[in-house]
Amino acid sequence: MPGESDSADSTSARATTKSRRLYTLIRALSPVAVLVLWQVGSALGIIPQERLPAPSLIAEAGWEVLSNGQLLDAIAASAQRVAIGLAIGVLVGVGLGLLVGLSRYADSIVDPNMQAIRALPLFGLIPLFILWFGIGEMPKVLLVALGALFPLYLNTSAAIRQIDPRLVETARVLGFSRATTVRDLIIPGAMPQILVGLRQALAIAWLSLIVAEQIAATSGLGHLINNARDFLRTDIIFFGLIVYAALGLITDAIVRALERHTTRYQNR
């Protein structure tokens, strides 16, 4: 009967909605439960404080470095390194990706060398960077740039190769110049995958920064963590790592918002 069918569908929809809400609630409470168990374990002495401080102690350490101004100074220095390194990585990575994606000759010349460099261990280059550039800001920024470069290069070149050749041919028949075709057709078509590469590049940039700031840094979150290590302040070390993760998540959320904005036409 139609009425019975509608009732069954309505009951099923309500059950599905209730199930989704339950899973959402579990996902939200799961981290809270971990923090509670962590705090209780520390209070009972099950978790050694010198190795894994309680969440309350980490929060107190965070307030300490925030109130004395160290945290904001460290974030500013680290963010500046990531911004400069990422800008270099974007310019070089996207530029080479466009070149390789648009030209078979460039692909034959550039790509083998890029793949060879990509195979090198990134953090193994630190001694060489120190010998070449000293222990100032240059090796730190370049390490971040090198880490961010390859995801952008690979995603950009792959995205351009996936552009429908018929669209390019149509643009040529319509009299579009090469520059206009690249600007108005190829780059917008490749943009979603380029933004995926940017998200990957951001994650690697922050990871590279953690290691880069171990190179005789006198500022930044790495410097803050190194000082905490010298004074056996495990709570500040954990808080610094949490700040690194939070900054990575914030920048990733910004790129995701940009991605949704630039690709909104595809969902229509």
Side-chain angles (χ1 to χ4, degrees), residues 40-54:
V40 171
S42 297
L44 295 176
I46 300 174
I47 302 176
Q49 296 284 355
E50 66 275 6
R51 295 189 178 181
L52 187 61

Side-chain angles (χ1 to χ4, degrees), residues 53-177:
S56 59
L57 294 179
I58 295 175
E60 290 176 6
W63 175 252
E64 176 187 336
V65 294
L66 177 62
S67 59
N68 62 23
Q70 293 181 14
L71 179 61
L72 295 180
D73 292 341
I75 290 176
S78 294
Q80 181 179 5
R81 290 174 183 136
V82 166
I84 297 173
L86 186 66
I88 296 172
V90 168
L91 289 175
V92 177
V94 174
L96 289 177
L98 282 170
L99 185 65
V100 167
L102 293 170
S103 169
R104 290 184 178 273
Y105 292 107
D107 182 32
S108 301
I109 296 171
V110 175
D111 191 65
N113 295 288
M114 292 296 291
Q115 298 301 335
I117 297 173
R118 187 169 71 94
L120 295 174
L122 178 63
F123 301 138
L125 296 174
I126 291 176
L128 189 60
F129 276 26
I130 293 175
L131 288 174
W132 284 351
F133 307 111
I135 57 174
E137 290 297 302
M138 184 67 74
K140 302 175 183 62
V141 169
L142 290 181
L143 199 66
V144 172
L146 190 61
L149 185 155
F150 291 104
L152 288 159
Y153 165 74
L154 293 172
N155 279 276
T156 301
S157 58
I160 291 174
R161 293 191 187 103
Q162 293 171 7
I163 298 291
D164 191 342
R166 291 173 296 182
L167 294 176
V168 179
E169 181 64 21
T170 301
R172 188 185 66 80
V173 171
L174 292 174
F176 286 17
S177 67

Side-chain angles (χ1 to χ4, degrees), residues 8 32 49 52-53 71 85 108 114 191 195 202 204 210 233 237:
V32 177
Q49 296 284 355
L52 187 61
L71 179 61
S108 301
M114 292 296 291
M191 187 57 66
L195 289 174
L202 269 171
I204 297 177
I210 295 175
R233 292 293 306 273
I237 293 175

